[in-house]
Amino acid sequence: MIGIIAAMDIEVEAVKKYAQISHSEEIGGCVYHYGTMFGKDIVLCKSGVGKVGAAICTTILCAKNKIDMVINVGTAGGLLVEEQVLDVVISDHVVEADFDTSPLDGEEGIGLQWSVNQEMVSRCIEAAKKAGARYHVGTVASQDIFMEREEDFKKLMSRFPKSACSEMEAGAVGHVCTNFNVPFVIVRGLSDNVHHHENSMEFSEYASKASEQSARIITEFIKG
């Protein structure tokens, strides 16, 4: 069974229209839709925004079901000048960027980092090509912050200069999947870019379209 995790309704609905859902249930504030996509068993999950909700959702998903892989899908903010809104970022690495025990542990206490499944990354790249989407492969940085302030951007990039996008769930998904030994990958459509002025307004305009972009990639991934 393939687990697909998204944070918001618009992200879930973008995927749901490609699936045949048989039943749904709510556990711990998270919603799980069971069904199939292109003949493969899936469970499509709505976690809510933020790392705590994503951790709860992923833990229940992996503990309750026999999950072969997890795809975390949805929107993110671009961090690179060359990125455009509605481009797609595919993770080659995930970091919980706001984890910081450096007063006790020094540099090793900055960030928790998780390795994604490289075969899934390769499949996502091929899926992006089939979908005709502009894509970038890089580090997905998770922190419970919507990237709007210049100081937040500078702090993140000084610590994790390979970051390609910023969002609020992937680090928790990676953390839990690693603990459960479940392979995972992150796919994000860019709804905004930190280098553009007033990217919160950009997010409001493009979140739905960015959700559709990432959904197209994972449908091609699952279609095989």
Side-chain angles (χ1 to χ4, degrees):
M1 180 180 285
I2 301 172
I4 305 168
I5 300 173
M8 301 183 295
D9 284 328
I10 57 171
E11 297 167 341
V12 171
E13 291 302 318
V15 177
K16 196 175 181 181
K17 68 183 183 181
Y18 296 101
Q20 294 75 48
I21 302 301
S22 60
H23 67 284
S24 304
E25 63 179 347
E26 182 173 342
I27 307 173
C30 304
V31 181
Y32 300 83
H33 304 287
Y34 291 85
T36 61
M37 186 182 289
F38 304 110
K40 298 174 184 175
D41 292 332
I42 67 158
V43 53
L44 171 60
C45 318
K46 178 190 171 185
S47 66
V49 175
K51 293 199 299 299
V52 173
I56 293 169
C57 179
T58 312
T59 299
I60 294 169
L61 172 69
C62 293
K64 188 175 183 292
N65 305 279
K66 183 173 175 53
I67 299 297
D68 299 308
M69 65 179 70
V70 167
I71 306 169
N72 183 211
V73 65
T75 60
L79 299 173
L80 306 178
V81 173
E82 62 267 27
E83 291 173 338
Q84 300 176 13
V85 170
L86 302 185
D87 285 359
V88 172
V89 170
I90 300 165
S91 62
D92 63 2
H93 204 73
V94 177
V95 60
E96 292 180 57
D98 54 359
F99 183 91
D100 189 349
T101 62
S102 58
L104 297 174
D105 302 318
E107 290 295 316
E108 293 184 359
I110 299 177
L112 291 177
Q113 305 195 40
W114 310 105
S115 297
V116 304
N117 182 274
Q118 293 305 310
E119 181 180 348
M120 294 178 71
V121 172
S122 296
R123 286 178 60 185
C124 284
I125 291 171
E126 290 305 310
K129 291 177 180 177
K130 288 180 182 178
R134 274 176 50 98
Y135 70 91
H136 310 266
V137 180
T139 297
V140 175
S142 283
Q143 38 186 359
D144 283 335
I145 299 170
F146 184 89
M147 190 68 65
E148 183 82 22
R149 295 170 296 193
E150 181 69 18
E151 58 265 33
D152 293 331
F153 169 71
K154 288 181 177 179
K155 181 179 179 180
L156 173 63
M157 298 307 285
S158 68
R159 290 180 164 184
F160 306 104
K162 295 182 179 180
S163 297
C165 68
S166 175
E167 50 73 74
M168 299 173 67
E169 295 83 34
V173 172
H175 192 153
V176 174
C177 285
T178 300
N179 283 9
F180 276 91
N181 295 312
V182 174
F184 74 96
V185 72
I186 314 299
V187 179
R188 287 286 193 272
L190 297 183
S191 56
D192 53 276
N193 187 297
V194 72
H195 297 284
H196 300 174
H197 295 298
E198 298 186 3
N199 56 313
S200 57
M201 292 177 62
E202 195 171 59
F203 172 84
S204 298
E205 182 176 355
Y206 290 107
S208 179
K209 293 179 181 178
S211 298
E212 176 59 31
Q213 278 288 76
S214 58
R216 288 174 58 222
I217 305 305
I218 68 160
T219 55
E220 290 291 345
F221 176 102
I222 293 172
K223 190 187 300 183

